[in-house]
Amino acid sequence: MTSEWREDRIGSALRGENPTVLRRLTAGFAAIGDVQFLPGYSVLLVDDPRVERLSELPRARRLAFLSDLDVLGEAVEHACRRLDPAFRRVNLEILGNTDGFLHAHVWPRFDWEPADAVRVPVWLYPRENWRDEQHALAPRHDPLREEIAKELDRLTAQD
């Protein structure tokens, strides 16, 4: 996977060039995370790169973004539960401390996580987890991508 799209995640999604995008949703893009130390980690990217905060969206778009987050969270939950019996829950987060565009994280959590990590935010995992090639998004994650995408299709068809 080349990294050029990483410099402009939203622009590359709008152009159809972001390889992590799973589906276009109402107010953003559902994307699988670059790292998969918690398999199923996904991100909701707002569809306007100029938007930095949720409060910058007009109320209707804000609600649409939050609704998209709900759908992505449920899709990850269903896919992870089906693929890993140790699935426990999802954590939803809108932080905005590093990237200057609105996005939300969907972190699946599992019973097999280290005991000292289970009750803390994912951000307290060792920094190596974000850089270690063994956790990088790769073709071996394609079945997981397909399951999440299938769930997104199912959930959005219900609307």
Side-chain angles (χ1 to χ4, degrees):
M1 191 182 304
T2 64
S3 62
E4 294 171 14
W5 58 271
R6 292 176 201 261
E7 301 303 315
D8 183 12
R9 290 175 187 270
I10 298 169
S12 63
L14 289 165
R15 293 187 302 275
E17 299 169 359
N18 184 328
T20 65
V21 169
L22 299 167
R23 293 292 183 270
R24 175 74 157 96
L25 299 176
T26 304
F29 296 92
I32 193 161
D34 299 5
V35 296
Q36 292 292 308
F37 61 89
L38 293 173
Y41 165 56
S42 297
V43 180
L44 177 64
L45 304 169
V46 71
D47 59 6
D48 182 343
R50 299 167 299 181
V51 174
E52 294 181 10
R53 294 178 268 309
L54 187 62
S55 60
E56 292 177 6
L57 292 173
R59 173 108 18 226
R61 294 292 292 165
R62 190 180 313 174
L63 294 174
F65 184 83
L66 292 172
S67 179
D68 286 350
L69 178 56
D70 172 59
V71 168
L72 179 55
E74 187 174 349
V76 169
E77 179 178 334
H78 288 293
C80 288
R81 181 175 283 126
R82 192 165 31 257
L83 295 173
D84 188 338
F87 170 78
R88 199 164 45 90
R89 66 179 347 70
V90 294
N91 293 155
L92 307 175
E93 301 175 323
I94 300 176
L95 301 171
N97 298 323
T98 303
D99 294 314
F101 52 86
L102 176 61
H103 62 287
H105 303 271
V106 178
W107 288 104
R109 304 301 299 261
F110 301 90
D111 288 333
W112 48 256
E113 291 179 64
D116 61 338
V118 169
R119 299 205 182 275
V120 299
V122 171
W123 307 106
L124 296 179
Y125 263 85
R127 294 299 332 151
E128 308 84 66
N129 286 4
W130 277 265
R131 293 186 281 275
D132 191 331
E133 275 301 307
Q134 78 175 9
H135 300 304
L137 182 63
R140 72 180 176 279
H141 298 108
D142 287 350
L144 180 58
R145 290 173 71 124
E146 291 167 16
E147 284 297 315
I148 296 170
K150 187 171 25 176
E151 282 299 320
L152 286 167
D153 291 342
R154 184 182 69 77
L155 292 166
T156 56
Q158 293 175 358
D159 294 340

